[in-house]
Amino acid sequence: MTSDLLFVYGTLMRGFDHPMAQLLSRSADFIGEARCVGRLYLIKHYPGLLLSDDPAEIVFGELYRLRQPEALLREFDMYEACGESFAEPTEYIRRMLPVTLEDEAASEAVCEAWTYLYNWPVAGLPRIVSGRFLEK
């Protein structure tokens, strides 16, 4: 299954002066604020998302529609150091997951989007309890 949607929750969000964040803003359409079920940890100067079975654990981010999904996902795979050319286990893995889009009409839409999940142990790392990387 493929999707042209990408959910970002860290340094790729708007407001970051990072070359890859700039690439995303140039090459994709910002759809809106979104959230998924998960836990957010502060890895270094960037966060890592782990899936959770607890619907009360929410991670907030942004949803984008990629204009050239295959080429862009290859670029972001390189940035996140995951994919076939990297040794396992990679720090991140790209997966599809359900995200909830928050729109202005106070209604919610759930869709499947790509995101990068943190794939290394988080023991001893600080948890971002708010689920918002910008409020770390």
Side-chain angles (χ1 to χ4, degrees):
M1 177 171 155
T2 183
S3 172
D4 61 354
L5 299 177
L6 179 67
F7 174 74
V8 298
Y9 55 85
T11 56
L12 293 177
M13 291 193 296
R14 295 177 302 168
F16 280 89
D17 188 30
H18 187 286
M20 294 306 282
Q22 293 168 358
L23 173 68
L24 181 60
S25 69
R26 279 197 313 272
S27 313
D29 300 308
F30 174 73
I31 297 174
E33 307 274 322
R35 64 183 190 272
C36 70
V37 176
R39 286 193 300 272
L40 203 57
Y41 289 86
L42 187 60
I43 310 304
K44 290 179 186 158
H45 57 282
Y46 55 88
L49 168 65
L50 280 96
L51 294 180
S52 170
D53 295 326
D54 181 349
E57 295 183 321
I58 303 291
V59 171
F60 297 89
E62 299 172 346
L63 191 63
Y64 288 85
R65 185 174 306 281
L66 305 176
R67 294 187 202 125
Q68 296 179 309
E70 286 186 18
L72 281 169
L73 288 169
R74 273 198 302 275
E75 289 283 330
F76 291 121
D77 284 356
M78 292 296 289
Y79 171 62
E80 302 290 0
C82 69
E84 294 165 8
S85 54
F86 294 93
E88 296 284 334
T90 54
E91 187 176 13
Y92 288 89
I93 51 175
R94 178 161 49 90
R95 289 286 181 269
M96 295 284 295
L97 82 166
V99 297
T100 303
L101 184 64
E102 307 184 31
D103 75 31
E104 294 76 30
S107 60
E108 297 178 341
V110 176
C111 54
E112 292 272 316
W114 290 112
T115 197
Y116 290 92
L117 300 176
Y118 193 68
N119 194 37
W120 288 353
V122 294
L125 293 174
R127 177 144 174 237
I128 304 171
V129 180
S130 70
R132 295 180 187 274
F133 176 55
L134 295 174
E135 294 174 8
K136 61 187 182 294

